[in-house]
Amino acid sequence: MKNYLLFLVAFTACFSGISQERPMRIGLKVGLPNIIGVNAEYVTPWLDGRLAPNVELSIVPVTESMFEDREGTISYYQAGFNYYLLAPGKGLYTNLSYGYLKGKGTAENVTAENPTATGEYLKGKGYFDESSHSINIKLGGKFGNKFYFRPEIGYAFNDLPEEYSTEVKFKDGSSEIQYESIPEIFTKGILFNIGVGIAF
């Protein structure tokens, strides 16, 4: 672990030394919980050029090829600040931000949990709409000059429940609420992504 930390510091110092500051950055990120999205950052002159507001946006369609009989979107928005630790606008940084994760869509051919009076299990259409707010802390690094990459790891203090509700409506006019588990990869609050972009 000690050798890994020494390598990380040396690696960061190397890239920080050759980087020329360009305050505006626009890029792409893949990871959790954003899946894939765009981000923008602007390095201000505040705090000796170390404070940089940043925003992220991700809207991913949910299709039947991903989840059987499901359609909808998973969207993620984030806004916050990066604070660069070793040099103005480059190298290692910490991040404090607000995040909003939302899943909304429909589910086809949902079977009722309870039978009708005649013993039949109806099939209906489900509607789900779940969201979560979070306060995020991350550690990341911006490496490169005009073209760069930036890995990030962190934790989200979120209010996402372990289950989400789906309102299922049937053709006879009846309805019921069903619950399904949310994948632990979202509920554990783990943040991880890798981004690439251009600075100018």
Side-chain angles (χ1 to χ4, degrees), residues 139-161:
L139 176 67
K142 185 260 183 185
F143 306 111
N145 186 19
K146 183 175 182 179
F147 299 100
Y148 65 86
F149 77 98
R150 63 164 83 231
E152 291 181 336
I153 58 172
Y155 185 81
F157 298 91
N158 63 42
D159 58 0
L160 192 65

Side-chain angles (χ1 to χ4, degrees), residues 4-24:
Y4 174 77
L5 291 175
L6 289 174
F7 170 78
L8 184 60
V9 171
F11 184 76
T12 301
C14 176
F15 275 89
S16 297
I18 64 174
S19 177
Q20 296 179 359
E21 192 50 52
R22 298 167 185 262
M24 187 68 195

Side-chain angles (χ1 to χ4, degrees), residues 95-128:
N95 172 273
L96 178 64
S97 55
Y98 162 80
Y100 179 67
L101 177 67
K102 182 179 180 67
K104 183 177 182 178
T106 60
E108 301 288 347
N109 301 313
V110 181
T111 302
E113 293 184 337
N114 300 304
T116 63
T118 60
E120 178 185 6
Y121 283 87
L122 299 175
K123 287 187 178 292
K125 185 171 185 176
Y127 300 84
F128 57 92

